[in-house]
Amino acid sequence: MSRRELREQIFKLLFRVEFNEFEDMPEQEELFFEQEDAAQGEDADYISRKYNEICQKLTELDAMLNEKAKGWNTGRMSKVDLTILRLAVYEIKYDDSVPASVAINEAVELAKKFGQDASSGFVNGILAKFV
């Protein structure tokens, strides 16, 4: 899988956090990888590792987002936008293998694909405050 495809899979798995209790997420992760089109082998390991690293920092990521998003807070954001922002902020702040410009560009592309019409601009605006 390409990095873009891997990031999209991480987004889809991370999105489940919004609809499930945190203690149910290991089961949700299992179900995710049982899907027909889910990644296998090294790709699955990468997705799982990055997803778990992000989940461990959700409180921190949300605090950073609440600080930077003037007039917004994570409770008001759409679930899609919030998930994309969490992934991108994690990459900007904690993943040295991803340049900030790439994290922002990929987040905007995810917002165009999965978000509403204004999502890409919203995501871009928030993430610009992190660099």
Side-chain angles (χ1 to χ4, degrees), residues 46-109:
Y46 176 84
I47 292 165
S48 182
R49 183 176 63 254
K50 197 158 181 180
Y51 156 77
N52 282 295
E53 289 170 0
I54 294 168
C55 282
Q56 290 173 4
K57 297 194 178 296
L58 281 181
T59 304
E60 283 177 57
L61 296 170
D62 287 355
M64 285 188 261
L65 285 166
N66 285 328
E67 180 183 318
K68 298 284 186 183
K70 302 294 182 213
W72 286 88
N73 65 49
T74 54
R76 287 187 57 215
M77 294 176 189
S78 79
K79 291 177 183 350
V80 170
D81 294 350
L82 177 58
T83 303
I84 292 167
L85 288 167
R86 285 172 169 167
L87 173 55
V89 172
Y90 173 82
E91 289 182 333
I92 292 168
K93 293 294 185 182
Y94 301 106
D95 191 341
D96 295 334
S97 70
V98 180
S101 60
V102 171
I104 292 171
N105 183 60
E106 292 295 322
V108 169
E109 292 302 317

Side-chain angles (χ1 to χ4, degrees), residues 11-41:
F11 162 76
K12 288 177 180 178
L13 180 55
L14 190 59
F15 188 66
R16 293 178 182 218
V17 168
E18 293 302 310
F19 300 97
N20 296 282
E21 297 295 324
F22 197 73
E23 54 272 0
D24 295 336
M25 287 311 297
E27 182 180 349
Q28 286 297 314
E29 188 176 356
E30 270 185 51
L31 291 171
F32 177 81
F33 286 110
E34 288 175 4
Q35 291 177 340
E36 202 171 301
D37 61 343
Q40 302 295 318

